[in-house]
């Protein structure tokens, strides 16, 4: 009963289909950095925007019509838009829910920091390293110091540090060093967000030297080894079981710089497109069957969640194994030589079998 209650509280188990409570809006595909792992393959700031200010206002109206609990502004780098603050004020004047900014932080300065602090309830800054060297390998020289400075500035201007997060995609550069990243976040008093590397976009172009390789397999092996050790001292026995609690395509959707609706930013493949927020005044219809409406994109996404192999579809611990469906989709997770070992390990941990 305790496990069942926890699954409901985390919205892993739900009653029927959910409504949309979280919307990520990538208001631009442009960026002032050229990160080597960028899944979105963000283009330079010299490129033109796909949607105008007025078109984005239409998208915003359609998003707010479903009354989401959380709206996230992202990109690209959202702050490179000349109309960023006009769009921000448009949202703030019409929305009373939680607003979050995902940014590289480089465009936050003394002229706009007070409005940033006043407008957002949470700010996530990408840093992708735990020091200058590791950050520079991914995001460029000098970025690390600038981001850390922005964190201090936000705090100095009254932004609650517990709503600031730093994120790091684990690549070959930082593989096995998440403890150092955690130490950095702890020293700043901010939230630590480690992310999985995805071999898509520029991540695919640089996969040969960026991929952390068999990091997941090593983690499973380490956990299995630890589980086999003496359990007399249970207080020292700790292990983390991943669980697919992501609600992409269920309670959460992502809107691209073109206004396209996808289950999440990583799954921006045409086969998973749920609609276009510029054209649809009720985006909830994209994920909820109403009057017989159900898109092929949703069906493709739901089929992917089940797994293309019978072994995955029928596996009793699948939900604890398939941590991020999007990452697994692009990495070709179905062909997994470690499947049987992982299944036995998770069965022991979850069901005691």
């Amino acid at each position: 009963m305790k496990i069942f209650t926890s699954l409901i509280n985390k919205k892993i188990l739900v009653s029927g289909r959910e409504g949309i409570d979280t919307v990520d809006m990538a208001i631009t595909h442009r960026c002032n950095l050229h990160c080597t792992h960028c899944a979105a393959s963000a283009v330079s700031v010299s490129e033109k925007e796909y949607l105008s200010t007025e078109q984005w206002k239409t998208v915003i109206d359609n998003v707010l019509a479903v009354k989401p609990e959380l709206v996230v502004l992202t990109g690209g780098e959202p702050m490179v838009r000349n109309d960023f603050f006009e769009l921000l004020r448009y949202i703030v004047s019409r929305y009373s829910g939680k607003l979050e900014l995902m940014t590289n932080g480089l465009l936050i300065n003394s002229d706009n920091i007070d409005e940033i602090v006043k407008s957002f309830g949470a700010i996530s800054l990408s840093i992708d390293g735990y020091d200058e060297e590791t950050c520079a390998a991914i995001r460029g020289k000098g970025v690390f110091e600038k981001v850390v400075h922005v964190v201090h500035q936000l705090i100095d201007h009254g932004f609650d540090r517990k709503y600031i997060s730093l994120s790091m995609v684990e690549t070959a550069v930082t593989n096995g060093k998440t403890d150092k990243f955690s130490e950095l976040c702890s020293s700043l008093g901010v939230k630590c967000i480690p992310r999985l590397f995805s071999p898509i976009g520029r991540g695919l172009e640089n996969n040969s030297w960026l991929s952390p390789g068999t990091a997941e397999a090593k983690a499973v092996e380490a956990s299995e080894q630890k589980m086999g050790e003496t359990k007399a001292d249970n207080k020292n026995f700790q292990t983390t079981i991943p669980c697919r609690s992501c609600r992409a395509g269920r309670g959460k959707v992502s809107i691209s710089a073109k206004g396209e609706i996808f289950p999440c930013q990583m799954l921006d493949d045409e086969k998973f497109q749920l609609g276009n927020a510029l054209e649809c005044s009720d985006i909830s219809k994209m994920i909820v069957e109403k009057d017989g409406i159900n898109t092929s994109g949703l069906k493709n996404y739901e089929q992917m969640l089940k797994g293309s192999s019978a072994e995955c579809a029928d596996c009793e611990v699948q939900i604890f194994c398939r941590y991020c469906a999007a990452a697994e989709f692009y990495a070709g997770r179905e062909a997994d030589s470690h499947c049987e070992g992982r299944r036995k390990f998770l069965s022991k941990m979850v069901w005691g079998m």
Side-chain angles (χ1 to χ4, degrees), residues 5 41 46 56 78 86 96 105 115 136 140 159 167 184 248 259 331 335 349:
T5 301
S41 290
S46 62
W56 264 112
E86 180 178 349
S96 58
E115 185 162 6
F159 201 90
S167 69
L184 168 66
M349 292 300 298

Side-chain angles (χ1 to χ4, degrees), residues 108-123:
I108 297 177
N109 55 48
S110 58
D111 293 330
N112 59 37
I113 193 167
D114 286 328
E115 185 162 6
I116 293 292
V117 168
K118 179 179 67 175
S119 302
F120 291 97
I123 299 175

Side-chain angles (χ1 to χ4, degrees), residues 2-20:
K2 196 171 182 180
I3 293 176
F4 183 74
T5 301
S6 296
L7 292 175
I8 291 177
N9 290 338
K10 292 181 179 294
K11 296 188 177 181
I12 297 169
L13 291 181
V14 296
S15 176
R17 286 198 179 273
E18 300 173 76
I20 299 172

Side-chain angles (χ1 to χ4, degrees), residues 70-74 98-102 120-124 165:
L70 171 64
V71 171
V72 182
L73 297 189
T74 181
K98 185 177 179 181
L99 189 59
E100 180 175 345
L101 175 65
M102 295 188 71
F120 291 97
I123 299 175
S124 177
S165 62

Side-chain angles (χ1 to χ4, degrees), residues 197-328:
F197 170 75
S198 301
I200 56 176
R202 277 199 293 278
L204 179 59
E205 295 172 18
N206 298 304
N207 187 46
S208 61
W209 68 273
L210 274 183
S211 175
T214 57
E216 182 187 37
K218 290 177 181 177
V220 171
E221 289 172 6
S223 295
E224 289 174 337
Q225 190 175 38
K226 196 170 188 179
M227 189 177 181
E229 294 172 355
T230 176
K231 297 178 184 176
D233 187 10
N234 283 331
K235 66 176 184 250
N236 291 327
F237 176 64
Q238 294 180 355
T239 189
T240 299
I241 303 176
C243 184
R244 193 179 66 229
S245 58
C246 175
R247 295 162 55 250
R250 298 183 292 155
K252 173 181 179 178
V253 294
S254 173
I255 298 175
S256 76
K258 294 180 180 179
E260 303 155 320
I261 306 171
F262 295 102
C264 75
Q265 279 191 286
M266 286 179 62
L267 288 171
D268 60 351
D269 189 291
E270 184 179 351
K271 69 185 292 184
F272 300 122
Q273 185 176 339
L274 307 177
N276 193 299
L278 190 60
E279 302 166 354
C280 181
S281 59
D282 186 354
I283 65 172
S284 63
K285 287 185 177 180
M286 295 296 98
I287 66 167
V288 181
E289 290 191 55
K290 288 183 178 179
D291 302 323
I293 297 174
N294 197 350
T295 70
S296 60
L298 178 61
K299 290 179 179 178
N300 289 336
Y301 174 63
E302 291 182 333
Q303 181 58 46
M304 183 197 68
L305 290 180
K306 295 176 184 177
S308 59
S309 68
E311 289 80 6
C312 273
D314 297 334
C315 181
E316 69 275 9
V317 291
Q318 184 212 130
I319 192 171
F320 298 100
C321 177
R322 296 172 60 82
Y323 176 71
C324 174
E328 293 153 14

